[in-house]
Amino acid sequence: MSSNETQNKTKWILKFTLSFLSIVGGIDSVLHIILPLFPYKLNQYIIPIGMSSLITGIVFSIGLSFYWHYKEKNDLIDSQKYYIWLTTILRYWLAFYISTFGFEKLFDVNFAYSYHIEDALVNTLTGQELTWKYYGHSYYLTVIIGLFQIIGSILLLFRRTTLLGVLTLLPVQINILLINLFYGIGPLTTFTSIIMVIGLSYLSLERKEEIIDFFRRYKSTLPTVGNTTLRKSIRFLCILIPFLFVFYYSYDVRKSKKYFGKWKVESMTRNGRVILENEWQKDTLAWKTLYIEERGKMYFCPNPHLYLDSISILMKYQYDDDKNQNFKVISFEKSRNKPDTIPVLISKFKDKSMQWKMILYKDTIQMELKKVNL
């Protein structure tokens, strides 16, 4: 709604939305700064104080919205003053809160180096730890995100640049919200992200008429190319061709889907000699695990406990489903320019097990493979 529209009477739900966003969001932003400063012996009171403060804010915002609506309905107040005050509070706490996260990124507090995450296996990490590891990998990326948050927050503090601030922050905060939701970052953090995105969206809807009018008035000054039919056909093909390409590529890749996965080498013989259980510790060709991936990649790893790139071998593979499990391994070990194509004889294939026989260079290799459930 625009400032002119606030002179007209509005529905209670709009008053409650603005009251909730302004009051509850403001309380949440203050708690974010104050609660971490509590002494260690008072840590047990952090959650009760935080929750009681938020509940009080919710109750107060409900009461305020009803009071505001009643007074406006009976023409007892200047409703625009309520609107201006609450909108200002909303802009200020958003700027305050989001800039805090921005400065945390600049000073390497947010996504700081984590020693235990660095030493942990990827498949043991939680969604939050994965996010921390990914974004913490590049300090420069973190700084760029932080600068967007700080600059956007500064723009929110001025009425003339509020919309520009919203347009700067909204894509960043939506991305953060989606990460928080789908990576299980935590209920309180997700709640904060939600009210931030809703608050920014509310501020953008204030100017919805100007935004809509801008897109209606915008028109490219460049001359058109070709006739209308040609342009429509090209537009259609610009979407259709990528779709068909990816669809075909996906279909072609997934013909070998039944082989995708982590395969444990139950037993292995080389030139008729059984490879001993612990031989992998000295012989990097005594493989213990095969990783068959999409896009024609497979990795032969001697370590049975974890994948180590330095001692593993990357090979390509080709699979033709129409020729009785025609599986070929392509090795680049001897020459990158002239790789060896090695036919693989697959027998006794089931969903969870199979036997391989191939000749790698001059060695005849047989393996019993069992698929590992992940």
Side-chain angles (χ1 to χ4, degrees):
M1 69 186 74
S2 65
S3 59
N4 292 331
E5 289 177 308
T6 59
Q7 297 175 0
N8 300 324
K9 294 181 179 180
T10 57
K11 295 181 180 180
W12 171 82
I13 188 64
L14 295 177
K15 296 182 180 68
F16 168 70
T17 301
L18 180 56
S19 301
F20 177 86
L21 291 173
S22 302
I23 296 169
V24 176
I27 292 173
D28 189 34
S29 64
V30 173
L31 292 174
H32 178 76
I33 297 296
I34 294 177
L35 293 184
L37 300 178
F38 272 35
Y40 178 77
K41 60 182 180 180
L42 298 179
N43 278 0
Q44 58 181 322
Y45 301 109
I46 288 179
I47 293 180
I49 291 174
M51 294 303 297
S52 60
S53 299
L54 290 175
I55 292 172
T56 302
I58 293 172
V59 173
F60 182 77
S61 63
I62 294 173
L64 176 62
S65 61
F66 275 114
Y67 175 80
W68 179 9
H69 190 66
Y70 171 79
K71 290 290 187 178
E72 181 190 71
K73 187 176 181 180
N74 293 279
D75 297 321
L76 299 175
I77 59 168
D78 182 1
S79 186
Q80 190 174 12
K81 289 184 178 180
Y82 280 75
Y83 168 79
I84 292 173
W85 270 101
L86 290 173
T87 304
T88 302
I89 293 172
L90 175 60
R91 290 192 294 113
Y92 278 44
W93 81 251
L94 281 170
F96 174 82
Y97 211 165
I98 295 174
S99 65
T100 301
F101 287 112
F103 285 116
E104 285 180 355
K105 292 177 176 64
L106 260 62
F107 289 101
D108 206 18
V109 175
N110 216 198
F111 305 125
Y113 185 88
S114 174
Y115 296 94
H116 84 279
I117 291 178
E118 191 66 23
D119 276 355
L121 296 175
V122 173
N123 62 355
T124 65
L125 297 178
T126 64
Q128 181 169 346
E129 290 170 334
L130 279 171
T131 304
W132 199 272
K133 171 67 176 174
Y134 175 78
Y135 282 98
H137 181 74
S138 172
Y139 173 69
Y140 298 105
L141 173 61
T142 305
V143 167
I144 291 172
I145 297 172
L147 288 175
F148 269 101
Q149 290 179 309
I150 294 169
I151 294 171
S153 297
I154 293 172
L155 294 172
L156 277 185
L157 295 173
F158 303 93
R159 287 181 298 172
R160 290 185 178 181
T161 57
T162 296
L163 182 58
L164 183 57
V166 170
L167 295 178
T168 302
L169 290 172
L170 198 53
V172 176
Q173 295 305 129
I174 288 176
N175 182 58
I176 292 173
L177 171 59
L178 293 175
I179 292 172
N180 291 342
L181 283 172
F182 295 106
Y183 280 73
I185 301 303
L188 293 178
T189 304
T190 302
F191 170 76
T192 298
S193 301
I194 290 172
I195 60 174
M196 282 182 176
V197 169
I198 295 176
L200 291 169
S201 300
Y202 185 94
L203 292 175
S204 67
L205 290 175
E206 282 188 303
R207 310 291 291 275
K208 65 179 184 296
E209 291 185 354
E210 290 92 333
I211 295 173
I212 294 172
D213 184 62
F214 170 79
F215 285 105
R216 283 177 177 172
R217 288 187 293 106
Y218 174 78
K219 186 177 181 180
S220 176
T221 57
L222 295 174
T224 58
V225 177
N227 56 46
T228 303
T229 303
L230 178 62
R231 290 197 301 273
K232 289 182 178 179
S233 300
I234 293 176
R235 290 167 185 164
F236 179 71
L237 291 174
C238 283
I239 303 300
L240 179 63
I241 291 175
F243 168 77
L244 293 176
F245 168 75
V246 175
F247 180 81
Y248 171 77
Y249 181 78
S250 175
Y251 168 77
D252 187 59
V253 166
R254 293 186 178 276
K255 286 192 296 185
S256 55
K257 184 178 180 180
K258 60 185 178 181
Y259 296 112
F260 294 167
K262 176 181 177 181
W263 295 83
K264 179 182 178 182
V265 180
E266 295 280 286
S267 64
M268 177 178 177
T269 61
R270 185 188 299 136
N271 299 323
R273 185 180 73 84
V274 177
I275 302 299
L276 301 179
E277 182 67 23
N278 295 324
E279 199 165 333
W280 64 272
Q281 297 175 354
K282 297 181 179 180
D283 182 4
T284 57
L285 296 180
W287 306 310
K288 302 300 291 184
T289 309
L290 265 65
Y291 301 91
I292 303 179
E293 310 281 2
E294 294 187 21
R295 301 175 182 267
K297 292 182 180 180
M298 61 189 309
Y299 299 84
F300 294 73
C301 179
N303 193 309
H305 307 297
L306 72 161
Y307 173 78
L308 294 173
D309 190 67
S310 58
I311 60 174
S312 300
I313 297 176
L314 165 64
M315 296 189 189
K316 297 281 190 175
Y317 68 85
Q318 294 177 345
Y319 176 73
D320 190 348
D321 193 35
D322 298 329
K323 296 183 179 180
N324 192 25
Q325 300 183 160
N326 186 356
F327 203 100
K328 295 179 180 178
V329 173
I330 304 171
S331 173
F332 297 87
E333 285 298 295
K334 289 189 174 181
S335 173
R336 299 292 301 177
N337 298 323
K338 296 181 179 180
D340 291 330
T341 301
I342 305 162
V344 177
L345 178 62
I346 299 177
S347 60
K348 298 182 180 180
F349 177 82
K350 297 180 182 179
D351 289 340
K352 302 293 183 181
S353 63
M354 60 178 168
Q355 292 182 355
W356 270 32
K357 183 177 181 180
M358 64 181 184
I359 299 176
L360 181 62
Y361 309 127
K362 296 182 180 181
D363 294 327
T364 300
I365 297 174
Q366 291 180 296
M367 293 183 290
E368 296 275 351
L369 303 175
K370 184 177 181 180
K371 198 169 190 179
V372 179
N373 293 322
L374 299 177

